[in-house]
Structures are given as structure tokens and as C-alpha cells.
Amino acid sequence: MAHHGEQHYNLDQRFDFNAATKKSIMTVLIIGAVILGIGIVLAMTGGHHEEAGEAGGHAFHWYERLYANLWINNVFFTGIAIVGVFFFAIQFAAQAGWSAPLLRVMLSFGNWLPYAALLMIATFFIANHDLFHWTHAYLFDRNDPQYDKIIDGKGAFFYWPMEKGTFPIFYVLRMVIFFAFWVFFFNKFKKISDQEDQLGGTSHWFKMRSWSAYFLVFFAVSSSVSAWDWVMSIDTHWFSTLFGWYVFASWFVSGLSAITLLTIFLKGRGYLEMVNENHVHDLGKFVFGFSIFWTYLWFSQFLLIYYANIPEESVYFLERLQSDVYGGFIFVNIALNFVLPFLVLMTRDSKRHGVFLKLVCTILLVGHWIDFFLMVQPGTLGHNGGIGLMEVGMFLVYGSAVALVVLSGLAKKNLIAKNHPMLEESYHHHI
């Protein structure tokens, strides 16, 4: 089957997830765990003063910071996993031919979704009172001095059909349904891919296209609602009508960066021979383009709130910009996620060479983690947050765990969808 026109490519190659690669990833995981451990010990022994927190004046406990970190990483890496599946589906919806040899690379990120689901749901059950202000029952009790009319008005969105302030069944149900469907679609795509490998023909491509369309409709709704649920509801009074898009953009850039890094990693190991600099250039253009898209949304959200200057809207940026802890990170966020990628990837050559893309995509992954850090920590920890050993350690642990899961999944099947009807088009892809 490997004879297409003039080319002779090995279409049956598999990624060999060898001991050396596993060892490197495990090393990072252990280093991360050690740093995380030191961070936790320092926090427990009073490396951070237990001051009265800003939210509701309660004493601050070290584990709140641990929970906030779990939440940041859950949301961030869930996004990368679902974007892999999303970008895969987009290729079929758009009938794209150039990306045929990269499809399995994109889809492999979905392997993290079942783990992400367990971590997310478990973290919510353990840490909901420490992460989400709206989980406190007294906010819904009209006789309580801390009764909050605004949150009471939003209560049904979390608690329906149960009594407000009891168990957020509607919220948890949404979380479970989103993950269940994401995992379902991921497995469906894998299954159709396998059948195509074994049987050939074009019927699987058409089948995949219709399933992709269903998935994309579901993803459009679920990605926005999950952004409101998992991130925006932390600052319960505040809202932004563009927030679902904003979180999606941040996820999408992170996911594209991860896909690009994995492609370059595999090419460096001698896999994916038919992927040439034209394909890499296309990935580079996506990363470049969507970094600008993310910036456009960041700026739109900021500018509208800034010039309207309505207190209940501007509070979101004020508590970040005026803070000793987060003020600087707003500028770091824009520098890493816009200025650097914009300047480095502007030329054609930089998008065709692995060395530039490796640098930019690594910076973007860190940069968008900081973006989620800025969305989660100010509303959960107030002035007790920051980036310290705990944050760095947790990021390394999660990152290496995701790498292990994704690469293990990738190693189980052929790297190339060898019977994809558009492989021939991809061979001749030239830009």
C-alpha cells in the first residue's frame, strides 16, 4: 500500500514509546513532584502568613492554594485535550487534505480526556467551597446577614431543580455530560479511524465527516458553557459576554502549540517522513494566527470594560492590575502570548523551521498557563496567591502526566491514517 505516485513511504510505522523517552518524562514528573512537595511543606510551615482572606474574611489555609492549582491545571490541560479532538474534527468538516498525515497526532491528545474528567470531578467535590464562592448556602438565605441578592439570582443556574445552596446538581450534571460526550466522540473517531485502516475505501471518511459535524455543534455549546461554569463562576458577581470565546481562544492556541511540538518531536525521531516543511509551515500559521485572535479577544474584553468604566465590570481588571501579586503578570501574559509569537513568527522562514516553532510553542504553553492562572487565582486566593514552587511543581507533574498518557495512546496504533483518501493530496502539498 505504500506506493503512491513516485513516493515510497512506510505507512505502517508506529511510534515506539521506548524506555529512554519514558524515563525522561518520568524524571520531569518526579522533579515536579519534589518541587510541589517542597512548596506544600513551605506553605504548611508558614511560608505564607495565614491572613484573613479577602473573600468573606475567613482565615487562609495552605490547602486552598493547592486546590486552586489543581483547578488551573485541570482546566488548562482539559482544554489542550479537547482541542486535539476539535482540530481533528475541523479537518473533516473543512474537507482538508494537507493535514492527512497529522490526524493521528491531533487525535492522540484526546487520550487525556478520561483522566481529566476524573480529576476535574474529584477536585470539584473536594474543593468546591474553597474555589467557588457560590457554593456557600448562606448566600441564598434571605435571613442571613451575608445574603447575596445577585448570587441568589444566579442560583438556579447551579442548583436547579434542587433547593439553592444544597447540592449543585445542575452544575455537576453539566460537567459530567460534557466529559461523557467528549470522551464518546473521541472514542467514536478512534473507532472509525481503525476501521478505515483495516478496510480502506472512502465510506469511513464520509462517516467521519458527519460525526465531526455533530461533535462541532456540541463542542460549540459545551466549550462556552464549561468556560462559564469552570472559570467565570469563580468571580460570581462578574460576567463577560465574550468569556466563552476567550477561554476557547486560550485553549486553542495551547492545543495548537502542543500539536506542533508533538509533530516536530516525532519528525526529529524520524517518523512522519511525508510531513515536510510545508505542513510545518501550516501549523506555524495556525499558531501565529490564533495568537493574534486570542489577543484580539483579550483586548476587546479589556477595552469595552475599560471605557464603559462600570464598577461591577471593571472590578475584574482592577483587582488584577492593582494587586501586588498579579499586576505584573498581566503584562507577562501579553508579552508571552502576543508580543513574542507575533515578532518571532512574522517571517515565512520562522514558521518553516522547527527551532523557532519549538521556542514559540513552549513559550505559548507557559504563557497560556499564566493566562488561566490569572483567571483562577485572584478570585479564589486573593492576595494569598502567586507563582511559587507549588505552581511550578504542579505544572510539571500535570504536563508530564499528560505527555505519558498521550504518547502511550499514540504508540498503540499506526501513526498515519494509511487509507485516508486525501493522502495523495498531502504528498503534493506545497506553499
Side-chain angles (χ1 to χ4, degrees):
M1 257 315 286
H3 184 74
H4 278 260
E6 300 298 307
Q7 280 86 0
H8 296 271
Y9 293 123
N10 171 17
L11 294 182
D12 282 314
Q13 65 177 205
R14 289 190 170 199
F15 169 60
D16 170 30
F17 194 15
N18 57 29
T21 317
K22 281 184 186 151
K23 194 173 164 189
S24 325
I25 298 174
M26 285 306 294
T27 309
V28 176
L29 197 144
I30 291 163
I31 292 169
V34 169
I35 295 172
L36 174 62
I38 296 170
I40 290 172
V41 169
L42 284 176
M44 286 169 77
T45 53
H48 293 279
H49 303 292
E50 305 221 344
E51 302 167 53
E54 281 154 30
H58 71 286
F60 172 75
H61 301 292
W62 65 269
Y63 52 78
E64 291 172 39
R65 184 155 172 179
L66 184 70
Y67 294 159
N69 278 319
L70 277 168
W71 201 253
I72 294 166
N73 287 293
N74 281 342
V75 174
F76 179 69
F77 287 105
T78 300
I80 290 176
I82 194 61
V83 162
V85 182
F86 166 74
F87 199 47
F88 174 91
I90 285 277
Q91 309 307 319
F92 286 91
Q95 306 185 32
W98 70 273
S99 53
L102 298 172
L103 291 170
R104 299 278 162 88
V105 175
M106 300 168 193
L107 194 58
S108 65
F109 284 93
N111 285 298
W112 178 250
L113 285 171
Y115 299 91
L118 292 171
L119 284 163
M120 191 75 121
I121 293 164
T123 309
F124 180 76
F125 276 106
I126 296 165
N128 57 19
H129 287 317
D130 295 306
L131 291 173
F132 297 100
H133 184 51
W134 55 262
T135 54
H136 297 283
Y138 57 75
L139 298 167
F140 305 97
D141 177 5
R142 285 171 190 278
N143 304 317
D144 193 288
Q146 287 180 292
Y147 169 71
D148 190 314
K149 190 165 182 265
I150 296 174
I151 297 180
D152 189 25
K154 299 183 184 192
F157 183 64
F158 305 119
Y159 291 102
W160 177 89
M162 287 173 73
E163 182 77 22
K164 283 185 259 190
T166 49
F167 177 71
I169 190 161
F170 198 25
Y171 179 95
V172 173
L173 200 64
R174 280 198 298 273
M175 190 183 276
V176 171
I177 288 171
F178 292 166
F179 274 113
F181 273 100
W182 290 349
V183 171
F184 163 75
F185 279 112
F186 165 65
N187 286 325
K188 191 77 189 169
F189 292 155
K190 267 204 315 197
K191 195 173 150 199
I192 302 172
S193 266
D194 287 351
Q195 290 168 342
E196 184 187 72
D197 270 6
Q198 287 152 19
L199 305 167
T202 54
S203 63
H204 297 101
W205 184 87
F206 285 103
K207 199 170 168 187
M208 193 80 92
R209 196 178 70 173
S210 50
W211 276 104
S212 295
Y214 302 139
F215 170 72
L216 290 171
V217 172
F218 181 76
F219 179 78
V221 178
S222 57
S223 64
S224 276
V225 179
S226 61
W228 310 333
D229 275 358
W230 303 344
V231 186
M232 197 165 78
S233 80
I234 289 171
D235 297 277
T236 317
H237 280 203
W238 182 81
F239 60 90
S240 157
T241 43
L242 160 166
F243 201 80
W245 272 108
Y246 177 71
V247 168
F248 163 74
S250 205
W251 272 354
F252 196 41
V253 177
S254 314
L256 288 169
S257 302
I259 291 165
T260 308
L261 283 174
L262 183 50
T263 306
I264 294 168
F265 166 77
L266 290 168
K267 268 203 76 60
R269 293 290 175 98
Y271 300 104
L272 304 175
E273 308 112 325
M274 73 269 285
V275 174
N276 56 39
E277 59 223 21
N278 297 296
H279 301 88
V280 173
H281 187 174
D282 269 343
L283 287 171
K285 282 192 290 192
F286 267 107
V287 171
F288 178 66
F290 280 94
S291 292
I292 295 170
F293 176 68
W294 171 86
T295 313
Y296 152 71
L297 288 174
W298 187 95
F299 187 68
S300 304
Q301 181 168 278
F302 177 78
L303 188 73
L304 285 168
I305 288 173
Y306 172 81
Y307 78 64
N309 205 11
I310 302 167
E312 52 266 39
E313 289 182 354
S314 55
V315 61
Y316 184 82
F317 284 105
L318 286 176
E319 67 179 20
R320 285 159 175 77
L321 278 165
Q322 293 178 346
S323 152
D324 300 338
V325 183
Y326 309 107
F329 285 114
I330 292 226
F331 300 99
V332 171
N333 193 16
I334 293 167
L336 293 185
N337 295 329
F338 170 63
V339 180
L340 266 161
F342 183 70
L343 296 176
V344 175
L345 290 183
M346 206 183 281
T347 63
R348 180 174 189 266
D349 278 355
S350 65
K351 292 192 279 281
R352 293 172 82 86
H353 289 109
V355 59
F356 289 109
L357 284 170
K358 270 190 221 170
L359 174 73
V360 170
C361 291
T362 310
I363 287 172
L364 279 169
L365 282 171
V366 173
H368 282 282
W369 181 89
I370 289 176
D371 192 25
F372 279 96
F373 156 82
L374 279 172
M375 289 186 236
V376 173
Q377 275 210 11
T380 49
L381 303 179
H383 59 272
N384 293 303
I387 292 185
L389 294 176
M390 210 189 277
E391 283 69 20
V392 175
M394 185 83 84
F395 179 61
L396 292 176
V397 168
Y398 263 83
S400 38
V402 171
L404 282 171
V405 169
V406 168
L407 292 175
S408 306
L410 194 62
K412 284 182 184 141
K413 296 279 186 300
N414 289 359
L415 266 180
I416 312 274
K418 61 180 178 182
N419 291 328
H420 192 285
M422 299 196 189
L423 269 181
E424 184 70 33
E425 183 183 333
S426 190
Y427 294 147
H428 304 297
H429 179 52
H430 180 76
I431 43 173

